[in-house]
Amino acid sequence: MPAAACVDPRAATFAALEPILEPLRTGDRAEAREWLQWALADGVEPLLEDLAPEDARPFLTSFASVARALGDIEGEHELGEELLRLLEAERGREPADIQRVRLRLGVLHGRLGRLDAARALIESGCADRERDLPAGRDSWLAARESLGVVCKEMGDVPAALLVFEEVHEYRVRTLPPDDFDLLAAKGNLAWARGAMGDLQGALELEERVHDVWEAHLDEGHADLLRAKENLAGTRLAMGDPGGARDLLEHVLEVRRRLFHVDHFGVLRAEENLAVARLELGDTDGARALLEPVRPVRGRTLPEGHKD
């Protein structure tokens, strides 16, 4: 009798990725996501039972990358947790490898709303990478920005301010003035300064972001409209309701052209403009905007919604 074929467990395990990769290659993300969820239905351990640790690590890394490409945060998190466990159990593993996974897991915890866990992982990862890597390395900066967002969501504005100041300072030194990453850093820092009461500091940053977006983006682009709303909010807080009204009238006019009357962006623009009109003493103008909003919200939002 012929000898039984010897099956390489590494090849068999990596073959489990193929049903996910094939639809992903052809653009069928829905089918790829279904295969991913099926593969993880019983957890990660069954996928690794025939693999040595040195083979399991690249498999988990590849699988997590697929989950990330599909936007499956829970799946990527589950795979990342197992990868971190293997890395931490291995003697002689480079600390940077472990911290890279910890930082990514921290970001995923934040997106899943697990803010305490996210903050602990990112702070630990950032501290170690400050020792091991040159400050400003892209992954380190991305982690710092994520930490700032987590602190923001937790209501720790002073901590968020420190992080956003640090990231902004580095971006200013290393990027051209119109770079999108720099503008994002300015937006984060503007929020933190405004929340700490430094309205003038927030205004200067928001004006810069607004001017660059206005020069480079179409008038209906979400980033430009958001920049106008942010700038209007700061101007209103600084006692300039006229300046806020001018910006918000433009936002509302554009959104009404682009979206249905019941679209949340239109409703929000109407409410924001109504506030500016009230500050200017235009009660009738504010009422004309607000009266249609309440019944629309009642039709489109579930009971108890924060809006």
Side-chain angles (χ1 to χ4, degrees):
M1 292 180 61
C6 181
V7 178
D8 184 350
R10 294 173 298 178
T13 304
F14 275 90
L17 284 173
E18 191 57 31
I20 305 169
L21 294 175
E22 182 57 31
L24 190 59
R25 293 188 193 104
T26 60
D28 191 346
R29 296 174 63 85
E31 183 180 350
R33 197 173 288 112
E34 287 181 11
W35 274 106
L36 176 66
Q37 292 169 354
W38 176 84
L40 292 174
D42 296 325
V44 178
E45 290 80 5
L47 298 171
L48 307 177
E49 58 187 9
D50 295 326
L51 291 182
E54 61 269 20
D55 296 321
R57 289 190 300 275
F59 173 75
L60 287 169
T61 301
S62 299
F63 215 152
S65 297
V66 172
R68 183 174 184 175
L70 289 170
D72 186 342
I73 298 175
E74 289 278 7
E76 185 188 355
H77 175 266
E78 185 177 1
L79 293 158
E81 289 278 10
E82 183 63 20
L83 177 59
L84 179 62
R85 185 188 69 77
L86 290 176
L87 290 173
E88 289 180 333
E90 182 179 345
R91 293 182 179 180
R93 170 59 58 176
E94 285 292 328
D97 293 338
I98 295 174
Q99 297 315 317
R100 191 177 299 110
V101 177
R102 281 183 179 170
L103 289 175
R104 182 59 188 168
L105 282 172
V107 172
L108 294 172
H109 273 295
R111 292 180 181 174
L112 291 167
R114 304 164 187 166
L115 300 181
D116 289 330
R119 184 169 184 174
L121 279 166
I122 297 174
E123 285 182 334
S124 170
C126 285
D128 286 344
R129 288 179 75 84
E130 280 179 296
R131 291 194 296 267
D132 298 336
L133 297 174
R137 189 70 62 86
D138 285 346
S139 58
W140 182 84
L141 275 173
R144 296 298 288 176
E145 287 176 323
S146 297
L147 176 60
V149 172
V150 168
C151 291
K152 174 183 175 180
E153 293 295 324
M154 295 180 73
D156 190 347
V157 180
L161 175 62
L162 289 175
V163 173
F164 289 147
E165 289 272 13
E166 177 186 30
V167 173
H168 178 259
E169 186 274 334
Y170 182 83
R171 298 287 194 202
V172 167
R173 286 192 290 108
T174 59
L175 296 176
D178 293 353
D179 186 271
F180 288 1
D181 286 337
L182 174 56
L183 294 175
K186 288 183 181 296
N188 286 333
L189 181 55
W191 170 84
R193 286 183 176 175
M196 290 293 290
D198 180 9
L199 297 178
Q200 184 60 43
L203 180 70
E204 293 170 359
L205 290 164
E206 287 168 350
E207 286 179 336
R208 175 59 183 165
V209 172
H210 171 268
D211 291 348
V212 174
W213 283 146
E214 193 165 52
H216 291 282
L217 300 177
D218 294 335
E219 67 171 356
H221 195 286
D223 287 336
L224 175 56
L225 295 177
R226 189 179 305 112
K228 288 182 181 293
E229 287 179 319
N230 291 340
L231 180 55
T234 300
R235 285 184 175 174
L236 195 62
M238 295 182 71
D240 180 14
R245 177 199 57 199
D246 294 343
L247 289 163
L248 295 170
E249 283 180 343
H250 179 79
V251 171
L252 179 57
E253 188 271 328
V254 171
R255 286 210 171 118
R256 280 176 169 171
R257 280 195 282 109
L258 294 175
F259 303 114
H260 188 270
V261 65
D262 290 356
H263 189 275
F264 74 94
V266 174
L267 301 179
R268 187 178 66 213
E270 289 174 340
E271 291 180 334
N272 290 339
L273 179 55
V275 172
R277 287 181 176 177
L278 281 173
E279 289 293 319
L280 289 165
D282 183 6
T283 306
D284 292 338
R287 184 180 295 113
L289 289 168
L290 289 176
E291 285 180 348
V293 168
R294 291 188 179 276
V296 170
R297 286 204 183 279
R299 292 197 307 271
T300 57
L301 296 178
E303 183 177 356
H305 192 280
K306 64 184 180 65
D307 290 332

